[in-house]
Amino acid sequence: MHSDAQPGLLMGEPKWKKRSQCVGAFMWALSRLDASVMSESVVFVLPVTLALVDDYEYRMQGLRASCLFVRNAEFARRSGTGSVLLSSIRACLVYRSDAPQPHKLLHTAFTAFVVVADAIQVDVQEWWALCDALVVNYGYVSDKIKELRVVSEQISIVCERLGVCVARYLRAFIGIVTHVLESGICVAELQHVAAEQVTALAKACPQRVCVYVPSVVAALARAWDSADNSSGADKLRDEIHRALASLRETDADAVSRAVRSLQTARPGHFDTW
């Protein structure tokens, strides 16, 4: 980007919105900008990126631009510009039913938050903010398959970042995954994602997950049953086996009791458990 450029010309009040090619040109230039010179270009790049993130029509591009901006993670962290971006992104972590493709916008927002947060090495409170957003959005999308998958997939991501600190949201997250596993609207592919989250939660917080073993095993059983007549049944059942193995590492006796109850109620149906 030319050093004589004026930020006002790049942003241009409402004028740039009337020329959609301006946004495409900015994204192209940013994707090819050497990360090592970001400090010299920030006066031009940051205002435009923030304007795009804050603009409903071009929010998707703004979120993607945010990920490109923090390629120079050291500069984003040291200068505080990454924190400014994260603050704007945080406001985007909400389901918008009126968006053209709401599940894609939600996924892009969560992805941008994680990329920027990782780059600037945020503290635990920021990850808790992401957890809050997951719980709130679940309330909006609990009956929408695509959006529910987006929300569910983030659980393992926060488990990796928070570890045992995810216990603060364990009850809510267990509620999300058991809902997906038990719900009649959910396809095998989505239930597979939910089973993956069970494994992630068990590994991140084994001391507390054991409390929820009976309800989680029951939910896994419902998903196992629903796999009978669905595509992807074998893949789902393999993932259920992995989830059960992770639960056994938290409390083998509790899992055994829950499985025996199922086997007694339905002889021959859960023999491989």
Side-chain angles (χ1 to χ4, degrees), residues 35-39 68-78 119:
S36 64
V37 299
M38 183 60 75
S39 59
L68 294 172
F69 183 93
V70 297
R71 285 176 299 170
N72 188 334
E74 181 181 358
F75 170 74
R77 182 171 57 253
R78 176 173 47 82

Side-chain angles (χ1 to χ4, degrees), residues 6-265:
Q6 298 178 35
L9 292 177
L10 293 174
M11 292 180 64
E13 294 299 331
K15 294 181 180 179
W16 60 270
K17 292 190 66 175
K18 298 177 181 179
R19 300 179 177 86
S20 59
Q21 65 269 27
C22 292
V23 177
F26 172 76
M27 295 296 295
W28 179 88
L30 182 57
S31 67
R32 286 156 179 77
L33 181 66
D34 192 323
S36 64
V37 299
M38 183 60 75
S39 59
E40 303 168 19
S41 309
V42 65
V43 66
F44 312 117
V45 175
L46 184 60
V48 182
T49 301
L50 290 172
L52 292 174
V53 171
D54 292 340
D55 187 272
Y56 181 63
E57 184 178 353
Y58 290 100
R59 181 162 294 168
M60 189 88 76
Q61 291 92 326
L63 293 166
R64 291 169 178 162
S66 300
C67 297
L68 294 172
F69 183 93
V70 297
R71 285 176 299 170
N72 188 334
E74 181 181 358
F75 170 74
R77 182 171 57 253
R78 176 173 47 82
S79 65
T81 52
S83 297
V84 173
L85 274 177
L86 196 65
S87 180
S88 290
I89 294 170
R90 196 184 303 116
C92 302
L93 300 178
V94 61
Y95 173 67
R96 295 291 301 265
S97 60
D98 54 344
Q101 294 180 304
H103 68 287
K104 288 189 176 181
L105 180 59
L106 193 61
H107 178 268
T108 304
F110 282 132
T111 299
F113 185 97
V114 172
V115 169
V116 176
D118 279 342
I120 64 175
Q121 301 174 2
V122 298
D123 57 23
V124 68
Q125 281 79 14
E126 287 292 351
W127 293 114
W128 281 342
L130 180 59
C131 292
D132 284 334
L134 294 180
V135 175
V136 170
N137 279 284
Y138 167 67
Y140 298 141
V141 306
S142 58
D143 60 344
K144 299 174 176 62
I145 292 178
K146 291 180 180 179
E147 290 80 358
L148 191 53
R149 175 171 183 164
V150 172
V151 170
S152 299
E153 287 175 333
Q154 309 309 311
I155 294 176
S156 58
I157 293 174
V158 296
C159 283
E160 291 175 6
R161 275 71 177 179
L162 285 174
V164 70
C165 292
V166 80
R168 179 172 179 170
Y169 292 87
L170 187 57
R171 182 176 182 178
F173 288 165
I174 290 291
I176 292 173
V177 298
T178 54
H179 164 75
V180 174
L181 290 167
E182 294 175 338
S183 177
I185 71 163
C186 295
V187 295
E189 185 178 355
L190 178 52
Q191 291 173 321
H192 181 275
V193 170
E196 289 178 328
Q197 311 316 304
V198 171
T199 299
L201 288 167
K203 291 181 177 179
C205 194
Q207 304 91 334
R208 297 286 299 278
V209 167
C210 58
V211 176
Y212 300 94
V213 162
S215 61
V216 174
V217 171
L220 290 169
R222 290 287 298 274
W224 183 275
D225 283 342
S226 69
D228 284 338
N229 300 312
S230 64
S231 60
D234 290 341
K235 185 179 178 182
L236 171 58
R237 286 180 168 171
D238 286 344
E239 194 58 47
I240 289 174
H241 278 304
R242 282 189 284 272
L244 287 168
S246 68
L247 289 173
R248 285 190 173 92
E249 293 179 6
T250 72
D251 191 334
D253 290 340
V255 174
S256 295
R257 288 193 297 271
V259 171
R260 280 198 301 269
S261 295
L262 290 170
Q263 292 170 338
T264 300

